[in-house]
Amino acid sequence: MREKLVAVIGAGVCDAVVATAAERVGASLAEANFGIVCGGLGGVMEAACRGAKGAGGWTVGILPGARASDANGWVDIAIPTGLGEARNAIVVRAAAGVIAVGGEYGTLAEIAFALKFRLPVVGLDTWQLQRRGADDAGILRATDPVMAVKLLLDAISKIDELPQSN
Amino acid sequence: MREKLVAVIGAGVCDAVVATAAERVGASLAEANFGIVCGGLGGVMEAACRGAKGAGGWTVGILPGARASDANGWVDIAIPTGLGEARNAIVVRAAAGVIAVGGEYGTLAEIAFALKFRLPVVGLDTWQLQRRGADDAGILRATDPVMAVKLLLDAISKIDELPQSN
Amino acid sequence: MREKLVAVIGAGVCDAVVATAAERVGASLAEANFGIVCGGLGGVMEAACRGAKGAGGWTVGILPGARASDANGWVDIAIPTGLGEARNAIVVRAAAGVIAVGGEYGTLAEIAFALKFRLPVVGLDTWQLQRRGADDAGILRATDPVMAVKLLLDAISKIDELPQSN
Amino acid sequence: MREKLVAVIGAGVCDAVVATAAERVGASLAEANFGIVCGGLGGVMEAACRGAKGAGGWTVGILPGARASDANGWVDIAIPTGLGEARNAIVVRAAAGVIAVGGEYGTLAEIAFALKFRLPVVGLDTWQLQRRGADDAGILRATDPVMAVKLLLDAISKIDELPQSN
């Protein structure tokens, strides 16, 4: 059975508030029967995986380096790409949608790819984007982890209802 | 728990004899509690996934294109990379070892990467490599699917016993 | 002699005002003896290459597809990667610095990678980035093409003066 | 003007006999007005670049790492990809044809990709490939550097004469 994945993206180092949010996101996605795909390292990635595993879910880590042992301890399936930062494109391609929790420049690249690929993107305390002085409407904004997951799953289900899904 | 993966590689189109061998390889790996990673398409890849699923196993497809829907029907976790043939490097990096069943030039590239990365490689009716008139010793040769899996798992277990595994 | 490259990034389709700016950027970089590296396609990429060639410069196109013939007519050296959007990471890695002219989500990914790689980035009517309500200071802002090139070359020369350049 | 590139591939460490052959290949290609594309590192890559530069040619290095400074001293245009070994696919995609001089497993991966992409491949003391006991006819065999370049340029010119070149 083809499994459904959501990407949880964010920085490899983060404070406890952000980690708690990411862990809640991971747990909520697992409860909704989605797998987690992420960059496989620490910070937000690790917290989301830990949350998913605690809720009976499962996790995929698409790593920048060449060693599976780089993955955090809650990654079930480690894919060491050896591609460096170019692996960010793959993290989002593998997902039906993306939740960004906080984040630095790597997260920004993943948000950009996700929007380019027309995937739903939900942001929780993450980057805001403006062009010519106006906010870009691409990122759906959530104010807490449960709302983030709800917004994303609603957006994914709307796409699945289209005559020709991607 | 970190899952262990073996890559099964081979052509995207193959005859029934090769497909039967690949299916047996997939089933034997599943029985040994290994997941299958492959290129996610048809032929040998599809047969190996079908064999694994029939034996209660699970499968990962690292796809060259950008759409999860390109994956064959026995892929559980589809990773559409959008990288084209460069994804061959990732298929083998994700694995603890590689079994090649038949195969064309794409398979040859994967064998080469696996040998470069010092992974055990078992060949079943696949490419033979010579340098300066002498056979390259890199590929372990099997004459049937059960022997192929046994040879590979023996080679993997020897690596795992090393003081510092790769 | 190792050639120095600057990346000019922007959308594959753009209006005449943006194209004129990109062409001026390309010409100014060529006059300063920098080669242009870009994504190799139309819009801002084509305009920058045309500007560079008109000023006696030279150009490299790092293409997403697999065919050199996808490159615009002012690309001297076409590198068809077959990597899809993941090639954006390579466009910026190849450069000593980046000038963004306008731009859509692909440009945003390139800006993000450039900032991640600690390359100087100059923006001309491009994305604005905010985190937690504050502007991100990563992008140097220019108001015209000549200023954009001057800002970037100043930033590059400061990096080159460091004891250990990257 | 779109420049034409030939890939010269081989090991990053090689003996003096192989290096001399690679240098001659590079020089002959430069005399025929082809640029050299290679993996940008030492051994055969460096020798081919040195030969090309000595004959007034020019060179591109598609590097596995993230730093242009990894390139050998005869690379004019360094493209640090950060992709690791996956960059091998790009080295051959960028070329109209490939000459392999000696070579290890990385070279074998490049030969495989080149044959997969239907590029002409000439081998000089390089891998021999067999399937089901028969030699694979994919690699054109040369016995010296001048013959290698002649064979390749003949093969390229035949492709260019096709109604629809690739």
Side-chain angles (χ1 to χ4, degrees):
Chain A
M1 196 192 70
R2 187 67 40 79
E3 303 289 349
K4 280 221 157 179
L5 288 162
V6 164
V8 183
I9 63 177
V13 178
C14 69
D15 65 31
V17 172
V18 170
T20 300
E23 191 167 346
R24 292 283 305 277
V25 166
S28 295
L29 287 167
E31 287 158 8
N33 292 317
F34 278 82
I36 303 289
V37 60
C38 69
L41 301 177
V44 162
M45 300 170 260
E46 183 168 5
C49 289
R50 190 170 57 234
K53 294 305 295 176
W58 55 279
T59 60
V60 178
I62 312 280
L63 295 155
R67 300 169 67 109
S69 56
D70 294 342
N72 71 62
W74 288 268
V75 167
D76 293 318
I77 302 172
I79 311 284
T81 65
L83 297 177
E85 307 305 326
R87 74 77 156 84
N88 290 16
I90 303 177
V91 170
V92 297
R93 275 207 197 281
V98 175
I99 298 178
V101 186
E104 303 289 339
Y105 293 129
T107 308
L108 180 60
E110 289 171 323
I111 290 171
F113 280 129
L115 295 172
K116 171 105 182 170
F117 303 154
R118 297 176 184 275
L119 292 173
V121 178
V122 173
L124 191 57
D125 193 24
T126 191
W127 291 95
Q128 288 175 272
L129 312 174
Q130 293 191 317
R131 279 192 286 190
R132 286 157 200 161
D135 281 343
D136 183 85
I139 304 177
L140 305 171
R141 298 281 161 188
T143 51
D144 66 70
V146 172
M147 178 186 174
V149 172
K150 184 175 177 348
L151 274 178
L152 189 75
L153 299 192
D154 284 354
I156 290 173
S157 67
K158 278 179 198 149
I159 290 170
D160 287 345
E161 286 166 14
L162 294 177
Q164 188 183 1
S165 77
N166 194 32
Chain B
M1 196 191 69
R2 187 67 39 79
E3 303 289 350
K4 279 219 158 180
L5 289 161
V6 164
V8 183
I9 63 177
V13 178
C14 68
D15 65 32
V17 173
V18 171
T20 300
E23 191 167 347
R24 292 283 306 275
V25 166
S28 294
L29 287 168
E31 287 157 8
N33 291 317
F34 278 82
I36 303 288
V37 60
C38 69
L41 300 178
V44 163
M45 300 171 261
E46 183 168 6
C49 290
R50 190 171 55 235
K53 294 306 296 176
W58 55 280
T59 60
V60 178
I62 311 279
L63 296 155
R67 301 169 66 110
S69 56
D70 294 342
N72 72 61
W74 287 269
V75 168
D76 294 319
I77 301 172
I79 311 283
T81 65
L83 296 178
E85 307 306 325
R87 74 80 155 79
N88 290 17
I90 303 178
V91 170
V92 297
R93 274 205 197 281
V98 174
I99 298 178
V101 186
E104 303 289 338
Y105 294 129
T107 307
L108 180 60
E110 290 171 322
I111 290 171
F113 280 129
L115 295 172
K116 171 103 182 172
F117 303 155
R118 297 174 182 275
L119 292 173
V121 177
V122 173
L124 191 56
D125 193 24
T126 191
W127 291 95
Q128 287 174 275
L129 312 174
Q130 293 191 317
R131 280 192 286 189
R132 286 155 202 163
D135 281 343
D136 183 85
I139 304 177
L140 306 171
R141 298 281 160 190
T143 51
D144 66 70
V146 171
M147 178 187 173
V149 171
K150 183 174 175 350
L151 274 178
L152 189 76
L153 299 191
D154 283 355
I156 290 173
S157 67
K158 277 178 199 150
I159 290 172
D160 287 345
E161 285 165 12
L162 294 177
Q164 189 184 359
S165 77
N166 195 32
Chain C
M1 197 192 70
R2 189 65 41 80
E3 303 289 349
K4 279 220 157 180
L5 289 162
V6 164
V8 184
I9 63 177
V13 178
C14 68
D15 65 30
V17 173
V18 170
T20 299
E23 192 168 347
R24 293 284 304 276
V25 165
S28 294
L29 287 168
E31 286 158 8
N33 291 317
F34 278 82
I36 303 290
V37 61
C38 69
L41 301 177
V44 161
M45 299 171 260
E46 183 168 5
C49 290
R50 190 171 56 234
K53 294 305 296 177
W58 56 279
T59 60
V60 177
I62 312 280
L63 295 156
R67 301 169 65 108
S69 56
D70 294 343
N72 72 62
W74 287 268
V75 167
D76 294 318
I77 301 172
I79 311 284
T81 65
L83 297 178
E85 307 306 325
R87 74 76 156 84
N88 290 17
I90 303 178
V91 170
V92 298
R93 274 207 197 281
V98 175
I99 298 178
V101 187
E104 303 289 338
Y105 293 129
T107 308
L108 179 60
E110 290 171 322
I111 290 171
F113 280 129
L115 295 172
K116 172 105 182 170
F117 303 154
R118 297 177 184 275
L119 292 172
V121 177
V122 173
L124 192 57
D125 193 24
T126 192
W127 291 95
Q128 287 175 273
L129 312 174
Q130 292 192 317
R131 279 192 287 190
R132 286 156 200 160
D135 281 342
D136 183 85
I139 304 176
L140 305 171
R141 298 282 160 188
T143 51
D144 67 70
V146 172
M147 179 186 174
V149 172
K150 183 173 175 355
L151 275 178
L152 189 75
L153 299 192
D154 283 354
I156 290 173
S157 67
K158 277 179 198 148
I159 290 170
D160 287 345
E161 285 165 13
L162 295 177
Q164 189 185 359
S165 77
N166 196 32
Chain D
M1 196 191 70
R2 188 66 42 78
E3 303 289 348
K4 280 219 159 181
L5 289 161
V6 164
V8 184
I9 63 177
V13 178
C14 68
D15 65 30
V17 173
V18 171
T20 300
E23 191 167 347
R24 292 283 306 275
V25 165
S28 295
L29 287 167
E31 286 157 9
N33 290 317
F34 278 82
I36 303 289
V37 60
C38 69
L41 300 177
V44 162
M45 300 171 260
E46 183 168 7
C49 290
R50 191 171 55 235
K53 295 304 297 174
W58 56 280
T59 60
V60 177
I62 312 280
L63 296 155
R67 301 170 65 109
S69 57
D70 294 342
N72 72 62
W74 287 268
V75 168
D76 294 319
I77 301 171
I79 311 284
T81 65
L83 297 177
E85 307 305 325
R87 74 80 157 80
N88 290 17
I90 303 179
V91 170
V92 296
R93 274 206 198 282
V98 174
I99 298 178
V101 187
E104 303 289 338
Y105 293 130
T107 308
L108 179 60
E110 289 170 323
I111 290 171
F113 280 129
L115 295 172
K116 170 105 183 171
F117 304 155
R118 297 175 184 274
L119 292 173
V121 177
V122 174
L124 191 57
D125 193 24
T126 192
W127 291 94
Q128 288 175 274
L129 312 174
Q130 292 191 318
R131 279 193 287 189
R132 286 155 201 164
D135 281 343
D136 183 85
I139 304 177
L140 306 171
R141 298 280 161 190
T143 51
D144 66 69
V146 171
M147 179 187 173
V149 172
K150 185 175 174 351
L151 274 178
L152 188 76
L153 299 192
D154 284 355
I156 290 173
S157 68
K158 277 178 199 149
I159 290 171
D160 288 345
E161 285 165 13
L162 294 176
Q164 188 184 0
S165 77
N166 196 28

